[in-house]
Amino acid sequence: MKILVCGGAGYIGSHMVRTLVANGHEAVIFDNLSTGHPESIPGLPLVQGDLLDSRALLQAFEHHSVDAVMHFCARSLVSESMSEPNAYYQNNVAGTLNLLDAMRRAGVDKLVFSSTAAIFGQPQSDVIDETHPTVPINPYGASKLMVERMLADAASAYGLRSVTLRYFNAAGADPDGDIGESHQPETHLIPNVLRSVLGRGDGLKVFGTDYPTADGTCVRDYIHVNDLTSAHLCALQFMRAHTGAHAFNLGNGCGFSVLEVIESAQRVTGARIEFERAPRRAGDPAVLVASSAKAREQLGWEPVYTGMDEIIATAWRWHRDQRY
Ligand code: UFG
């Protein structure tokens, strides 16, 4: 199939493009390069454009006759969304609305959409499945939930087929080590831990050591980026046989605390990792762990990277020799 990958020069998008090509698909990348890296998609067709630019979108669909769209373009930092909500609603909601309009005009009826654990808000159970209430507590989560509603409406009104994949904590890098996670500024735990080993950044801080968890630090469900991309391939297959809008939670089902992540990074890197205990970060729930049973059953998806050391080893390979 030929896929338009919106946000294909970003962290998860660039891994997706690689997975598509490796599996015999064609990828066309649509990216405004605000946070993406053209170095991550060498030699592949890139349309530099913004989802807020309807004309650029329409032209992309006119020039490239695609079978489906994967949509990774978003602002995705919880704390930034609290201080700049309009930017989140504009990019994530209005931008997606433009994309849906352009798809409809072009007659493209299949979309895989990147959503987030943040749509659930404060967890009300140890493990979050798709029946968990969706009560986002920040504009980032709210913006993604709004799009999920738009997709349901577009399914009934226009026959759009969609699969929404709600990522928990995306982590790791392609095992080749030549593409990986590179944000500016970097706020995510695993990159910050590894950067501290390399003497980059301002020193590692652990945000909150008084949570109601076994060691007092937050527990998260880290899922390898290539396990996320393989779920997208399953979603493409799923949409061939299923109409309507569908949503799946994606995690590997195991929670790891911040201190467990640091211990794992010590094993992988062989370095002793120093950190400062800092106050809680606003908006962080104590525990976020996914049930991915529905994705396994209905998409036939199976994550490959289930251990933290394995995930961190791939991220370490990237960070040691970071190319962009
Ligand atoms: N953390 C630290 N030090 C750091 C960075 C993070 O202690 O330098 C802690 C955080 O406080 C949190 C955990 O490590 O407890 C994980 O933080 P990340 O920033 O790596 O990831 P988040 O859990 O905040 O974010 C993820 C996704 C978001 C999603 C959110 C839902 O990246 O897209 O979960 O809460 F919205």
Side-chain angles (χ1 to χ4, degrees):
M1 289 172 92
K2 189 167 178 178
I3 315 294
L4 185 72
V5 186
C6 297
Y11 166 44
I12 303 173
S14 61
H15 285 79
M16 186 71 242
V17 167
R18 182 167 286 195
T19 300
L20 284 169
V21 172
N23 283 274
H25 297 288
E26 254 184 276
V28 176
I29 296 117
F30 186 91
D31 201 302
N32 66 8
L33 299 181
S34 61
T35 56
H37 305 276
E39 303 92 324
S40 66
I41 42 158
L44 290 163
L46 166 67
V47 179
Q48 189 173 347
D50 197 299
L51 290 189
L52 294 169
D53 181 352
S54 305
R55 186 188 289 208
L57 262 176
L58 286 172
Q59 280 175 354
F61 280 104
E62 273 164 23
H63 289 150
H64 302 277
S65 173
V66 299
D67 303 296
V69 175
M70 293 184 174
H71 176 19
F72 299 89
C73 296
R75 288 194 174 226
S76 61
L77 299 177
V78 168
S79 58
E80 184 186 60
S81 79
M82 305 288 278
S83 55
E84 290 184 52
N86 288 1
Y88 275 70
Y89 293 118
Q90 188 174 50
N91 267 274
N92 299 0
V93 182
T96 304
L97 190 57
N98 280 348
L99 175 63
L100 296 184
D101 262 339
M103 287 177 67
R104 193 156 69 92
R105 289 205 205 181
V108 177
D109 68 348
K110 294 183 195 67
L111 173 70
V112 188
F113 173 63
S114 305
S115 188
T116 170
I119 65 158
F120 295 111
Q122 286 296 348
Q124 291 168 25
S125 51
D126 290 345
V127 174
I128 298 178
D129 68 13
E130 290 79 1
T131 65
H132 189 285
T134 49
V135 194
I137 53 172
N138 50 62
Y140 170 54
S143 71
K144 290 286 186 175
L145 187 59
M146 284 177 192
V147 173
E148 292 199 20
R149 171 63 198 256
M150 281 158 48
L151 296 180
D153 292 340
S156 13
Y158 312 128
L160 178 73
R161 297 181 183 213
S162 65
V163 170
T164 288
L165 299 175
R166 298 157 173 166
Y167 311 158
F168 280 58
N169 287 60
D174 190 84
D176 281 355
D178 57 343
I179 57 173
E181 191 168 7
S182 175
H183 298 116
Q184 201 51 259
E186 187 53 77
T187 63
H188 293 101
L189 178 64
I190 292 175
N192 279 349
V193 169
L194 296 177
R195 283 163 58 81
S196 80
V197 174
L198 294 162
R200 301 180 194 145
D202 301 329
L204 180 64
K205 290 194 170 99
V206 171
F207 298 125
T209 50
D210 59 349
Y211 283 99
T213 58
D215 64 20
T217 64
C218 285
V219 171
R220 293 288 181 273
D221 183 338
Y222 295 89
I223 172 166
H224 193 273
V225 61
N226 280 357
D227 283 330
L228 288 179
T229 66
S230 74
H232 286 68
L233 287 188
C234 296
L236 277 185
Q237 201 58 36
F238 182 86
M239 286 189 295
R240 288 175 182 236
H242 297 83
T243 57
H246 304 266
F248 300 91
N249 294 355
L250 290 184
N252 79 47
C254 296
F256 294 90
S257 73
V258 174
L259 294 185
E260 284 172 332
V261 168
I262 294 173
E263 280 158 21
S264 167
Q266 293 193 142
R267 283 191 297 274
V268 170
T269 63
R272 188 179 153 69
I273 300 176
E274 306 288 345
F275 59 86
E276 181 189 325
R277 287 165 197 268
R280 292 181 179 196
R281 202 172 62 172
D284 277 347
V287 180
L288 274 179
V289 179
S291 162
S292 302
K294 185 179 168 194
R296 289 169 190 260
E297 279 159 26
Q298 295 189 18
L299 295 179
W301 173 70
E302 200 60 56
V304 172
Y305 297 83
T306 48
M308 182 49 65
D309 288 14
E310 268 181 292
I311 292 175
I312 291 192
T314 64
W316 178 230
R317 218 167 293 153
W318 157 251
H319 281 284
R320 258 185 329 195
D321 187 23
Q322 194 165 340
R323 299 168 190 215
Y324 50 83

Coordinates of all heavy atoms in Angstrom, one line a residue, residues 27-107:
A27 N 6.0 4.9 1.4 CA 5.6 5.9 2.3 C 5.9 7.3 1.7 O 6.9 7.5 1.1 CB 6.5 5.8 3.6
V28 N 4.9 8.2 1.9 CA 5.1 9.6 1.5 C 5.0 10.4 2.8 O 4.0 10.2 3.6 CB 4.0 10.1 0.5 CG1 4.2 11.6 0.3 CG2 4.1 9.3 -0.7
I29 N 6.0 11.2 3.1 CA 6.0 11.9 4.4 C 5.5 13.3 4.3 O 5.9 14.0 3.4 CB 7.4 11.9 5.0 CG1 7.9 10.4 5.3 CG2 7.5 12.7 6.3 CD1 9.0 10.0 4.5
F30 N 4.5 13.7 5.2 CA 4.0 15.1 5.3 C 4.4 15.6 6.6 O 4.0 15.0 7.7 CB 2.5 15.1 5.1 CG 1.9 16.4 5.0 CD1 1.8 17.1 3.8 CD2 1.5 17.1 6.2 CE1 1.2 18.3 3.7 CE2 1.0 18.4 6.1 CZ 0.8 19.0 4.8
D31 N 5.3 16.6 6.7 CA 5.8 17.0 8.0 C 6.2 18.5 7.9 O 6.8 18.9 6.9 CB 7.0 16.2 8.3 CG 7.4 16.2 9.8 OD1 7.6 17.3 10.4 OD2 7.4 15.1 10.4
N32 N 5.9 19.3 8.9 CA 6.3 20.7 8.9 C 7.7 20.9 9.4 O 8.2 22.0 9.5 CB 5.3 21.6 9.6 CG 5.3 21.3 11.1 OD1 6.1 20.6 11.6 ND2 4.3 22.0 11.8
L33 N 8.3 19.8 9.9 CA 9.7 19.8 10.4 C 9.9 20.7 11.6 O 11.0 21.2 11.9 CB 10.7 20.1 9.3 CG 10.8 19.2 8.1 CD1 11.8 19.6 7.1 CD2 11.0 17.7 8.6
S34 N 8.8 21.0 12.3 CA 8.9 21.8 13.5 C 9.7 21.1 14.6 O 10.5 21.6 15.3 CB 7.6 22.3 14.0 OG 6.8 21.1 14.4
T35 N 9.4 19.8 14.7 CA 10.2 19.0 15.6 C 10.8 17.7 15.0 O 11.6 17.0 15.6 CB 9.3 18.5 16.8 OG1 8.2 17.8 16.2 CG2 8.8 19.6 17.6
G36 N 10.5 17.5 13.7 CA 11.0 16.3 13.0 C 12.3 16.6 12.4 O 12.9 17.7 12.4
H37 N 13.0 15.5 12.0 CA 14.3 15.5 11.5 C 14.4 14.9 10.1 O 14.2 13.7 10.0 CB 15.3 14.7 12.5 CG 15.2 15.2 13.9 ND1 15.9 16.3 14.4 CD2 14.4 14.8 14.9 CE1 15.6 16.5 15.6 NE2 14.7 15.6 16.0
P38 N 14.7 15.7 9.1 CA 14.8 15.1 7.7 C 15.9 14.0 7.7 O 15.8 13.1 6.9 CB 15.1 16.3 6.8 CG 15.4 17.4 7.7 CD 14.9 17.1 9.1
E39 N 16.9 14.1 8.6 CA 18.0 13.0 8.6 C 17.4 11.7 8.9 O 18.0 10.7 8.6 CB 19.0 13.4 9.6 CG 19.7 14.7 9.5 CD 19.0 15.8 10.3 OE1 17.7 15.8 10.4 OE2 19.6 16.7 10.8
S40 N 16.2 11.6 9.5 CA 15.7 10.3 9.9 C 14.9 9.6 8.7 O 14.6 8.4 8.9 CB 14.7 10.5 11.1 OG 13.6 11.2 10.7
I41 N 14.8 10.3 7.6 CA 14.0 9.7 6.5 C 14.8 9.9 5.2 O 14.2 10.4 4.2 CB 12.6 10.3 6.4 CG1 12.6 11.8 6.7 CG2 11.7 9.6 7.4 CD1 11.4 12.5 6.1
P42 N 16.1 9.6 5.1 CA 16.9 10.0 4.0 C 16.3 9.3 2.7 O 16.0 8.2 2.7 CB 18.3 9.4 4.3 CG 18.0 8.4 5.3 CD 16.8 8.8 6.1
G43 N 16.3 10.2 1.6 CA 15.9 9.6 0.3 C 14.5 9.3 0.1 O 14.1 8.8 -0.9
L44 N 13.6 9.6 1.1 CA 12.2 9.3 1.0 C 11.4 10.5 0.6 O 11.8 11.6 1.0 CB 11.7 8.7 2.3 CG 12.3 7.3 2.5 CD1 12.1 6.8 3.9 CD2 11.6 6.3 1.6
P45 N 10.3 10.4 -0.1 CA 9.5 11.5 -0.5 C 9.0 12.3 0.7 O 8.3 11.7 1.5 CB 8.4 11.0 -1.4 CG 8.4 9.5 -1.2 CD 9.7 9.1 -0.6
L46 N 9.3 13.6 0.7 CA 8.9 14.4 1.9 C 8.2 15.7 1.3 O 8.7 16.4 0.5 CB 10.2 14.9 2.6 CG 9.9 16.1 3.6 CD1 9.0 15.6 4.8 CD2 11.3 16.6 4.2
V47 N 6.9 15.9 1.8 CA 6.2 17.1 1.5 C 6.3 17.9 2.8 O 5.8 17.5 3.8 CB 4.7 16.8 1.2 CG1 4.0 18.1 1.0 CG2 4.6 15.8 0.1
Q48 N 7.1 19.1 2.7 CA 7.2 19.9 3.9 C 5.9 20.8 3.9 O 5.8 21.7 3.1 CB 8.5 20.7 3.8 CG 8.7 21.4 5.2 CD 10.0 22.1 5.3 OE1 10.9 21.9 4.4 NE2 10.2 22.9 6.3
G49 N 5.1 20.5 4.9 CA 3.8 21.3 4.9 C 3.2 21.1 6.3 O 3.6 20.3 7.1
D50 N 2.2 21.9 6.6 CA 1.6 21.9 7.9 C 0.1 21.5 7.7 O -0.6 21.9 6.8 CB 1.6 23.4 8.4 CG 1.4 23.5 9.9 OD1 0.3 23.1 10.3 OD2 2.3 23.9 10.6
L51 N -0.4 20.8 8.7 CA -1.8 20.3 8.7 C -2.8 21.5 8.7 O -3.9 21.4 8.3 CB -2.1 19.4 9.8 CG -1.5 18.0 9.9 CD1 -2.1 17.2 11.0 CD2 -1.7 17.3 8.6
L52 N -2.3 22.7 9.2 CA -3.1 23.8 9.2 C -3.2 24.5 7.9 O -4.0 25.4 7.7 CB -2.6 24.8 10.3 CG -2.7 24.3 11.7 CD1 -2.0 25.2 12.7 CD2 -4.2 24.1 12.2
D53 N -2.4 24.1 6.9 CA -2.4 24.6 5.6 C -3.2 23.7 4.7 O -2.7 22.8 4.1 CB -0.9 24.8 5.1 CG -0.8 25.4 3.7 OD1 -1.8 25.5 3.1 OD2 0.3 25.6 3.3
S54 N -4.5 24.0 4.5 CA -5.4 23.1 3.8 C -5.0 22.9 2.4 O -5.0 21.8 1.8 CB -6.8 23.7 3.8 OG -7.3 23.9 5.1
R55 N -4.4 24.0 1.8 CA -4.0 23.9 0.4 C -2.9 22.9 0.2 O -2.9 22.1 -0.7 CB -3.7 25.3 -0.2 CG -3.4 25.2 -1.6 CD -2.8 26.6 -2.1 NE -3.9 27.6 -2.0 CZ -3.8 28.6 -2.8 NH1 -2.8 28.8 -3.7 NH2 -4.8 29.5 -2.8
A56 N -1.9 23.0 1.1 CA -0.7 22.1 1.0 C -1.2 20.7 1.2 O -0.7 19.8 0.5 CB 0.3 22.5 2.1
L57 N -2.1 20.5 2.1 CA -2.7 19.1 2.3 C -3.3 18.6 1.0 O -3.1 17.4 0.6 CB -3.7 19.1 3.4 CG -3.2 18.7 4.8 CD1 -4.4 18.9 5.7 CD2 -2.8 17.3 4.8
L58 N -4.2 19.4 0.4 CA -4.9 19.0 -0.8 C -3.9 18.7 -1.9 O -4.1 17.7 -2.6 CB -5.9 20.1 -1.2 CG -7.1 20.2 -0.4 CD1 -8.0 21.4 -0.8 CD2 -8.0 18.9 -0.5
Q59 N -2.9 19.5 -2.0 CA -1.9 19.3 -3.1 C -1.2 17.9 -2.8 O -0.9 17.2 -3.7 CB -0.9 20.4 -3.1 CG -1.4 21.6 -3.8 CD -0.5 22.8 -3.8 OE1 0.5 22.7 -3.1 NE2 -0.8 23.8 -4.5
A60 N -0.9 17.7 -1.5 CA -0.2 16.4 -1.2 C -1.0 15.2 -1.7 O -0.5 14.3 -2.3 CB 0.1 16.3 0.3
F61 N -2.3 15.3 -1.4 CA -3.2 14.2 -1.9 C -3.3 14.1 -3.4 O -3.5 13.1 -4.0 CB -4.6 14.3 -1.2 CG -4.6 13.8 0.2 CD1 -4.7 14.7 1.3 CD2 -4.6 12.5 0.5 CE1 -4.7 14.2 2.6 CE2 -4.7 12.0 1.8 CZ -4.7 12.9 2.8
E62 N -3.3 15.3 -4.0 CA -3.4 15.3 -5.5 C -2.1 14.7 -6.1 O -2.2 14.0 -7.1 CB -3.5 16.8 -6.0 CG -5.0 17.2 -6.1 CD -5.1 18.7 -6.2 OE1 -4.2 19.4 -6.7 OE2 -6.2 19.2 -5.8
H63 N -1.0 15.1 -5.6 CA 0.3 14.6 -6.2 C 0.6 13.1 -5.9 O 1.3 12.5 -6.6 CB 1.5 15.5 -5.7 CG 1.4 16.8 -6.3 ND1 1.9 17.9 -5.7 CD2 0.9 17.3 -7.5 CE1 1.7 19.0 -6.4 NE2 1.1 18.6 -7.5
H64 N 0.1 12.7 -4.7 CA 0.5 11.3 -4.3 C -0.8 10.6 -4.1 O -1.6 10.9 -3.1 CB 1.3 11.3 -3.0 CG 2.5 12.1 -3.1 ND1 3.7 11.6 -3.6 CD2 2.8 13.4 -2.8 CE1 4.6 12.6 -3.6 NE2 4.1 13.7 -3.1
S65 N -1.1 9.6 -4.9 CA -2.3 8.9 -4.8 C -2.1 7.8 -3.7 O -1.5 6.7 -3.9 CB -2.6 8.3 -6.1 OG -3.7 7.4 -6.1
V66 N -2.6 8.1 -2.5 CA -2.3 7.1 -1.4 C -3.6 6.3 -1.0 O -4.7 6.7 -1.3 CB -1.8 7.9 -0.1 CG1 -0.5 8.7 -0.4 CG2 -2.9 8.8 0.5
D67 N -3.3 5.2 -0.4 CA -4.4 4.3 0.0 C -4.9 4.5 1.4 O -6.0 4.2 1.8 CB -3.9 2.8 -0.1 CG -3.3 2.5 -1.5 OD1 -4.1 2.5 -2.4 OD2 -2.1 2.2 -1.6
A68 N -4.0 5.1 2.2 CA -4.3 5.3 3.7 C -3.4 6.3 4.2 O -2.4 6.7 3.6 CB -4.2 4.0 4.4
V69 N -3.8 6.8 5.4 CA -3.0 7.8 6.1 C -2.7 7.3 7.5 O -3.5 6.7 8.2 CB -3.8 9.2 6.2 CG1 -3.1 10.2 7.1 CG2 -4.2 9.7 4.8
M70 N -1.5 7.6 8.0 CA -1.1 7.5 9.4 C -0.8 8.8 9.9 O 0.0 9.6 9.3 CB 0.1 6.5 9.5 CG -0.2 5.1 9.1 SD 1.2 4.0 9.4 CE 0.4 2.5 8.9
H71 N -1.3 9.2 11.1 CA -1.3 10.5 11.6 C -0.5 10.7 12.9 O -1.1 10.3 13.9 CB -2.7 11.0 11.7 CG -2.9 12.4 12.2 ND1 -1.9 13.3 12.3 CD2 -4.0 13.0 12.8 CE1 -2.3 14.4 12.8 NE2 -3.6 14.3 13.1
F72 N 0.7 11.1 12.8 CA 1.6 11.2 14.0 C 1.8 12.7 14.4 O 2.6 13.0 15.3 CB 2.9 10.6 13.8 CG 2.9 9.1 13.5 CD1 2.8 8.7 12.2 CD2 3.0 8.2 14.5 CE1 2.7 7.3 11.9 CE2 2.9 6.8 14.3 CZ 2.8 6.4 12.9
C73 N 1.3 13.7 13.6 CA 1.6 15.1 13.9 C 0.8 15.5 15.1 O -0.4 15.6 15.1 CB 1.0 16.0 12.8 SG 1.7 15.7 11.2
A74 N 1.5 16.0 16.1 CA 0.8 16.5 17.3 C 1.8 17.2 18.2 O 3.0 16.8 18.2 CB 0.1 15.4 18.1
R75 N 1.3 18.1 18.9 CA 2.1 18.6 20.1 C 1.7 17.6 21.2 O 0.5 17.2 21.3 CB 1.6 20.0 20.5 CG 2.1 21.0 19.5 CD 1.8 22.4 20.2 NE 2.4 23.4 19.4 CZ 3.1 24.4 19.9 NH1 3.4 24.5 21.1 NH2 3.6 25.4 19.1
S76 N 2.7 17.2 22.0 CA 2.4 16.1 22.9 C 3.0 16.2 24.3 O 3.3 15.2 24.9 CB 2.9 14.8 22.2 OG 4.3 14.9 22.0
L77 N 3.2 17.4 24.8 CA 3.8 17.5 26.1 C 2.7 18.0 27.1 O 2.1 19.1 26.9 CB 5.0 18.5 26.1 CG 6.1 18.1 25.3 CD1 7.2 19.2 25.3 CD2 6.7 16.8 25.7
V78 N 2.4 17.2 28.1 CA 1.3 17.5 29.0 C 1.5 18.9 29.6 O 0.6 19.7 29.6 CB 1.3 16.4 30.1 CG1 0.4 16.8 31.2 CG2 0.8 15.1 29.5
S79 N 2.7 19.2 30.2 CA 2.9 20.4 30.9 C 2.7 21.6 30.0 O 2.1 22.6 30.3 CB 4.2 20.4 31.7 OG 5.2 20.3 30.8
E80 N 3.3 21.5 28.8 CA 3.2 22.6 27.8 C 1.7 22.8 27.5 O 1.3 24.0 27.3 CB 4.0 22.3 26.5 CG 4.0 23.4 25.5 CD 4.7 22.9 24.2 OE1 4.2 22.0 23.6 OE2 5.7 23.6 23.8
S81 N 0.9 21.8 27.4 CA -0.5 21.9 27.0 C -1.3 22.7 28.1 O -2.3 23.3 27.8 CB -1.1 20.6 26.8 OG -1.5 19.9 28.0
M82 N -0.8 22.6 29.4 CA -1.4 23.3 30.4 C -1.2 24.8 30.3 O -2.1 25.6 30.6 CB -0.9 22.9 31.8 CG -0.9 21.4 32.1 SD -2.6 20.8 32.4 CE -2.8 21.3 34.1
S83 N 0.0 25.2 29.8 CA 0.3 26.7 29.7 C -0.1 27.2 28.3 O -0.3 28.4 28.1 CB 1.7 26.9 30.0 OG 2.5 26.1 29.2
E84 N -0.2 26.3 27.3 CA -0.5 26.8 25.9 C -1.7 26.0 25.3 O -1.5 25.3 24.3 CB 0.7 26.7 25.0 CG 1.8 27.6 25.3 CD 2.9 27.5 24.3 OE1 2.6 27.5 23.1 OE2 4.1 27.3 24.7
P85 N -2.8 26.0 26.0 CA -3.9 25.1 25.5 C -4.3 25.4 24.0 O -4.6 24.5 23.3 CB -5.0 25.3 26.5 CG -4.7 26.6 27.2 CD -3.2 26.7 27.2
N86 N -4.4 26.7 23.7 CA -4.8 27.0 22.3 C -4.0 26.3 21.3 O -4.5 25.9 20.2 CB -4.8 28.5 22.1 CG -6.0 29.2 22.9 OD1 -6.7 28.5 23.6 ND2 -6.1 30.5 22.7
A87 N -2.7 26.3 21.5 CA -1.8 25.7 20.5 C -2.1 24.2 20.4 O -2.0 23.7 19.3 CB -0.3 25.9 21.0
Y88 N -2.5 23.6 21.5 CA -2.8 22.2 21.4 C -4.1 21.9 20.6 O -4.2 21.0 19.8 CB -2.9 21.6 22.8 CG -1.4 21.2 23.2 CD1 -0.5 22.2 23.5 CD2 -1.0 19.9 23.2 CE1 0.8 21.9 23.7 CE2 0.3 19.5 23.5 CZ 1.2 20.5 23.7 OH 2.5 20.2 24.0
Y89 N -5.1 22.8 20.9 CA -6.4 22.6 20.2 C -6.2 22.9 18.7 O -6.8 22.3 17.9 CB -7.5 23.4 20.9 CG -7.8 22.8 22.3 CD1 -7.7 23.6 23.4 CD2 -8.2 21.5 22.4 CE1 -7.9 23.1 24.7 CE2 -8.5 21.0 23.7 CZ -8.3 21.8 24.8 OH -8.6 21.2 26.0
Q90 N -5.4 23.9 18.5 CA -5.2 24.3 17.1 C -4.5 23.2 16.3 O -5.0 22.8 15.3 CB -4.5 25.6 17.0 CG -4.4 26.2 15.5 CD -3.8 27.5 15.5 OE1 -2.7 27.7 16.0 NE2 -4.5 28.4 14.8
N91 N -3.4 22.8 16.8 CA -2.6 21.8 16.1 C -3.3 20.5 16.1 O -3.4 19.8 15.0 CB -1.2 21.6 16.8 CG -0.2 22.5 16.2 OD1 0.5 22.1 15.2 ND2 0.0 23.6 16.7
N92 N -3.7 20.0 17.2 CA -4.1 18.6 17.3 C -5.5 18.4 16.9 O -5.9 17.4 16.3 CB -4.0 18.1 18.8 CG -2.5 18.1 19.2 OD1 -1.6 18.5 18.5 ND2 -2.3 17.7 20.5
V93 N -6.4 19.4 17.1 CA -7.8 19.3 16.7 C -8.1 19.9 15.4 O -8.5 19.2 14.4 CB -8.8 19.9 17.8 CG1 -10.2 19.6 17.4 CG2 -8.5 19.2 19.2
A94 N -7.8 21.2 15.2 CA -8.1 21.9 14.0 C -7.2 21.3 12.8 O -7.7 21.1 11.7 CB -7.8 23.4 14.1
G95 N -6.0 21.0 13.1 CA -5.1 20.3 12.1 C -5.7 19.0 11.7 O -5.7 18.7 10.5
T96 N -6.2 18.2 12.6 CA -6.7 16.9 12.2 C -8.0 17.1 11.4 O -8.3 16.3 10.5 CB -6.9 16.0 13.5 OG1 -5.7 15.9 14.2 CG2 -7.4 14.7 13.1
L97 N -8.8 18.1 11.8 CA -10.0 18.4 11.0 C -9.7 18.7 9.6 O -10.3 18.1 8.6 CB -10.8 19.5 11.7 CG -12.2 19.8 11.2 CD1 -13.1 18.6 11.4 CD2 -12.7 21.0 12.0
N98 N -8.6 19.5 9.3 CA -8.2 19.7 8.0 C -7.8 18.5 7.3 O -8.1 18.2 6.1 CB -7.0 20.7 8.0 CG -7.3 22.1 8.2 OD1 -8.5 22.5 8.1 ND2 -6.3 22.9 8.4
L99 N -7.1 17.6 8.0 CA -6.6 16.3 7.4 C -7.9 15.5 7.0 O -7.9 14.9 5.9 CB -5.7 15.6 8.4 CG -5.3 14.2 8.0 CD1 -4.4 14.2 6.7 CD2 -4.5 13.5 9.1
L100 N -8.8 15.4 7.9 CA -10.0 14.6 7.6 C -10.8 15.1 6.4 O -11.3 14.4 5.5 CB -11.0 14.5 8.8 CG -10.4 13.9 10.1 CD1 -11.5 13.8 11.1 CD2 -9.9 12.5 9.8
D101 N -10.8 16.5 6.3 CA -11.5 17.1 5.1 C -10.7 16.8 3.8 O -11.4 16.4 2.8 CB -11.5 18.6 5.3 CG -12.8 19.1 5.8 OD1 -13.8 18.4 5.7 OD2 -12.8 20.2 6.4
A102 N -9.4 16.9 3.9 CA -8.6 16.6 2.7 C -8.7 15.2 2.3 O -8.9 14.8 1.1 CB -7.2 17.0 3.0
M103 N -8.8 14.3 3.3 CA -8.9 12.8 3.0 C -10.3 12.6 2.3 O -10.4 11.8 1.3 CB -8.9 12.0 4.3 CG -7.5 11.9 4.8 SD -7.5 11.0 6.4 CE -7.9 9.3 5.8
R104 N -11.3 13.3 2.8 CA -12.6 13.0 2.2 C -12.7 13.5 0.8 O -13.2 12.8 -0.1 CB -13.7 13.8 3.1 CG -15.1 13.4 2.8 CD -16.0 13.7 3.9 NE -16.1 15.1 4.2 CZ -17.1 15.9 3.6 NH1 -18.0 15.3 2.9 NH2 -17.2 17.1 3.9
R105 N -12.1 14.7 0.6 CA -12.1 15.2 -0.8 C -11.3 14.3 -1.8 O -11.6 14.2 -2.9 CB -11.4 16.6 -0.8 CG -12.3 17.6 -0.2 CD -11.9 19.0 -0.8 NE -12.2 20.0 0.2 CZ -12.1 21.3 -0.1 NH1 -11.5 21.7 -1.2 NH2 -12.4 22.2 0.8
A106 N -10.2 13.7 -1.2 CA -9.4 12.9 -2.1 C -9.9 11.4 -2.2 O -9.3 10.6 -2.9 CB -7.9 12.9 -1.5
G107 N -10.9 11.1 -1.4 CA -11.5 9.8 -1.4 C -10.6 8.8 -0.7 O -10.7 7.6 -1.1

